[in-house]
Amino acid sequence: MIPHISSRPRRTLVLAATLGAALAFGAPGALAGTLPVASSTAPAAKAHAPARTPAAVPASQSATWVAGTRAYLVITAPGDSSAVRSAIAANGGTVFSSFDAIGVIVAHSASSSFAATMRGVAGVQQVGATRTSDVPAEAYNPALPANPAQASTPAGEPVRADMSQIKADRAWAVNPGSAAVTVGILDTGVDDQHQDLAPNFDAADSVSCAYGKPDTRTGAWRDVDTHGTHVAGTVAAAKNGKGVVGVAPGVKIAAVRVAEPGNSFFFAENTICGFVWAGDHGFKVTNNSYYTDPWQFNCPDNIDQAAIIEGVKRAQEYAEGKGSLQIAAAGNENYDLAHKTTDSASPNDSTPGTRTITNACLDIPTELPGVVTVAANGTGVTKASFSNFGQGVIDVAAPGSNVYSTVPGGGYGSKSGTSMATPHVVGVAALIASANPGITPAQIRAKLAAQANDIACPSDSRCTGTTADNSFFGEGQVDALKAVGATPPPPGKYFENLADFAINDNATVESPIAVTGVTGNAPAALKVGVDIKHTYIGDLKVDLVAPDGTVYTLHNHAGGSADDIAQTYTVDASSEVANGTWKLRVNDNAASDTGKIDAWNLTF
């Protein structure tokens, strides 16, 4: 089943449930490249009592909210902001939160003249509204997200195609990642109780930054959508014999909920809070699969948007200065970020309109200096149809189509989008950090680029640049095996066929691989990687056929009504001469369900 792409930027695609009650997922705010999700093994959400009673909100602060309250960034010089704070209070505003280390104050006011008045105050450099809608009253006393009941999953965690595509399955045997490395998931929150996430979850460094102020209550970080939990699983789901395995299953993950409940908007003050938290809490890498609402692109000639750019830029620089690398999704509009012309999605918190823009207008944090920008691959090394692109904007690429990962409540589901590509890169960056203690963000950026596998432009005039660096794939697809210091199989040892071969009802199909340059016989532990897309694998018999015609059965009608086979098999082929044409033979033995051999490989 191919999921549809949401019309909202940076949103995910979703697939249908394979087990348990399907969840209804609303369209999030500015999630980076997501297509709707389908849960598998996800029960209906059930709220549990929070571990701690919500902290009381001071009456003076609660009383500041009235209809028409808006949020503003007041930008000053870093350091003591007491004089500017006093001016905010004197001019009809209140200080909601402040980040003095970067000179950013989040102010609330219902006065229509507040911003203009504050721009004339000594010491104030910029003032900008962060929304075109009111701050909700809930900002002053936010409810804790639900803690969903958890489903259990049978044992078994087959290697998925996205993991083998970036060689993560082979990297795990070398270095699964270090628990000394913490990855920040800046997103809609994370279900920390999920069986595949709990072993690696860092509650002490998790927080909610919704509304632009740290909320450290237990559970404030939990998911108000499904997006953040899905991203977290791709980064670091535990290698525990259940469900899925993340790219870096040995690292820690901390949740920083940047999204607000109900709409999953990621306003500038939330992002700023998240980046400052990441820097102060030692996150080596952060995952940012969103854009900063309400503007898809922030233009420096707009007085409000200029302040948003400056505030988020300072927060990103602060985090990087503390040793944290930010990695962000490119977006899902199939848009050339290097040749911007129009923006029709902004402002998304009120009434969007179409406006003319230039390359000076930035998708943030994606296009901020120092941020690694990620495009999505489709099957193999193709460009995902939805992925944004742009020469000099895209840094690297990773799988982003039909990615299967964790969803709240102990379940699993598939999503597509640059949101799903980004955590693959984040996981690889975490492996680089694990293999190189003390490495700087700049050095991780350089290694991601140097280790990426080049992808040449397809026959598409929009793809410009060279094989080594182009507008579709940047420096290429990331490589987890190189990240852990291992070298790929020597020439002549690894072979693959990425061509599609249709599997029709009651028919047999074969996909060949010609093996050359291997001396002697095949090994006793020949690795056969299989990626088959099929809607009922109980119909299938899958065999490896040696050059002399000997048949080795890999899969024989197992799996019942499950979809797809993404698994690496080990075959004792030591009696076979290695060189020659090997075949993957698939026999469909029933009607009504069809599919294809998507890809397969041999490792000698």
Side-chain angles (χ1 to χ4, degrees):
M1 180 187 307
I2 299 175
H4 68 278
I5 300 177
S6 166
S7 61
R8 304 294 292 277
R10 223 103 44 232
R11 302 303 192 277
T12 355
L13 320 179
V14 192
L15 297 186
T18 61
L19 177 62
L23 295 177
F25 304 118
L31 297 176
T34 315
L35 317 185
V37 213
S39 78
S40 99
T41 74
K46 178 181 178 182
H48 291 268
R52 291 204 295 246
T53 302
V57 178
S60 59
Q61 190 182 62
S62 298
T64 60
W65 188 90
V66 295
T69 297
R70 296 292 173 92
Y72 300 87
L73 298 183
V74 180
I75 311 292
T76 72
D80 182 12
S81 64
S82 55
V84 174
R85 289 164 177 261
S86 297
I88 289 171
N91 288 288
T94 58
V95 173
F96 184 75
S97 62
S98 61
F99 305 94
D100 287 353
I102 60 172
V104 174
I105 299 170
V106 179
H108 288 178
S109 178
S111 169
S112 60
S113 62
F114 175 76
T117 303
M118 286 302 301
R119 289 177 186 125
V121 170
V124 172
Q125 298 172 357
Q126 295 183 65
V127 179
T130 65
R131 309 165 184 242
T132 63
S133 58
D134 289 358
V135 175
E138 291 76 10
Y140 296 106
N141 190 16
L144 288 173
N147 184 7
Q150 299 292 316
S152 59
T153 295
E157 49 182 9
V159 176
R160 308 189 312 277
D162 57 316
M163 294 296 158
S164 58
Q165 190 170 326
I166 63 169
K167 304 186 185 72
D169 54 332
R170 293 152 69 190
W172 300 329
V174 179
N175 185 346
S178 168
V181 172
T182 300
V183 173
I185 309 297
L186 276 61
D187 213 289
T188 62
V190 173
D191 179 4
D192 56 303
Q193 305 295 309
H194 195 294
Q195 62 191 344
D196 246 348
L197 302 178
N200 292 335
F201 192 79
D202 177 5
D205 291 310
S206 293
V207 72
S208 169
C209 273
Y211 310 113
K213 179 167 60 177
D215 180 351
T216 59
R217 292 175 297 163
T218 297
W221 58 72
R222 292 199 175 115
D223 210 333
V224 295
D225 187 71
T226 64
H227 192 271
T229 300
H230 194 278
V231 164
T234 299
V235 174
K239 200 172 192 299
N240 56 1
K242 298 178 181 179
V244 299
V245 186
V247 176
V251 306
K252 293 296 184 183
I253 48 175
V256 180
R257 179 163 67 85
V258 183
E260 297 180 8
N263 53 31
S264 288
F265 283 126
F266 296 69
F267 291 107
E269 59 266 38
N270 309 5
T271 303
I272 290 167
C273 171
F275 284 161
V276 172
W277 182 274
D280 286 342
H281 288 259
F283 298 168
K284 200 63 184 176
V285 193
T286 69
N287 190 105
N288 302 273
S289 291
Y290 61 90
Y291 71 75
T292 301
D293 296 293
W295 305 98
Q296 182 174 2
F297 300 102
N298 285 271
C299 300
D301 59 356
N302 178 289
I303 198 166
D304 292 316
Q305 294 164 41
I308 291 173
I309 293 171
E310 179 64 19
V312 178
K313 177 174 175 288
R314 287 190 187 189
Q316 193 291 121
E317 290 172 344
Y318 177 83
E320 182 165 345
K322 293 279 190 172
S324 178
L325 175 66
Q326 279 56 252
I327 300 179
N332 286 349
E333 297 75 48
N334 193 25
Y335 190 92
D336 187 350
L337 295 174
H339 297 89
K340 301 185 183 85
T341 55
T342 58
D343 172 12
S344 300
S346 306
N348 62 7
D349 67 335
S350 53
T351 304
T354 299
R355 58 177 178 155
T356 299
I357 62 172
T358 69
N359 284 350
C361 301
L362 301 178
D363 178 339
I364 61 173
T366 299
E367 291 188 276
L368 290 178
V371 175
V372 175
T373 305
V374 181
N377 290 126
T379 301
V381 292
T382 60
K383 173 190 176 295
S385 59
F386 51 80
S387 181
N388 285 354
F389 57 98
Q391 184 68 43
V393 179
I394 302 301
D395 291 305
V396 289
S401 295
N402 290 354
V403 175
Y404 189 71
S405 187
T406 48
V407 294
Y412 301 86
S414 294
K415 296 177 185 273
S416 295
T418 55
S419 281
M420 282 57 259
T422 303
H424 288 88
V425 178
V426 168
V428 172
L431 291 178
I432 291 173
S434 297
N436 301 273
I439 193 170
T440 67
Q443 290 168 334
I444 297 175
R445 272 198 305 271
K447 281 185 175 291
L448 283 171
Q451 294 173 355
N453 297 309
D454 293 343
I455 306 175
C457 278
S459 298
D460 188 326
S461 60
R462 300 173 302 163
C463 188
T464 59
T466 65
T467 297
D469 188 358
N470 57 60
S471 59
F472 275 14
F473 312 111
E475 300 276 356
Q477 188 176 89
V478 292
D479 190 311
L481 192 60
K482 292 178 183 176
V484 296
T487 57
K493 298 292 187 181
Y494 179 79
F495 304 86
E496 63 184 352
N497 189 336
L498 299 177
D500 292 347
F501 288 82
I503 303 170
N504 298 317
D505 284 331
N506 294 300
T508 299
V509 63
E510 295 181 337
S511 173
I513 289 179
V515 174
T516 59
V518 181
T519 303
N521 285 7
L526 176 66
K527 300 297 184 183
V528 185
V530 176
D531 183 8
I532 292 173
K533 301 292 191 291
H534 196 277
T535 52
Y536 197 99
I537 63 173
D539 289 355
L540 303 181
K541 184 173 184 290
V542 182
D543 300 311
L544 175 68
V545 183
D548 67 355
T550 302
V551 176
Y552 298 86
T553 298
L554 306 177
H555 172 95
N556 195 4
H557 302 283
S561 61
D563 295 349
D564 303 341
I565 299 174
Q567 189 167 341
T568 299
Y569 299 90
T570 301
V571 173
D572 182 355
S574 56
S575 63
E576 307 293 339
V577 174
N579 289 335
T581 299
W582 296 73
K583 298 175 183 177
L584 187 71
R585 176 183 294 164
V586 180
N587 173 237
D588 184 297
N589 292 275
S592 301
D593 289 272
T594 59
K596 65 179 179 178
I597 302 174
D598 200 26
W600 74 288
N601 58 65
L602 293 169
T603 305
F604 288 83

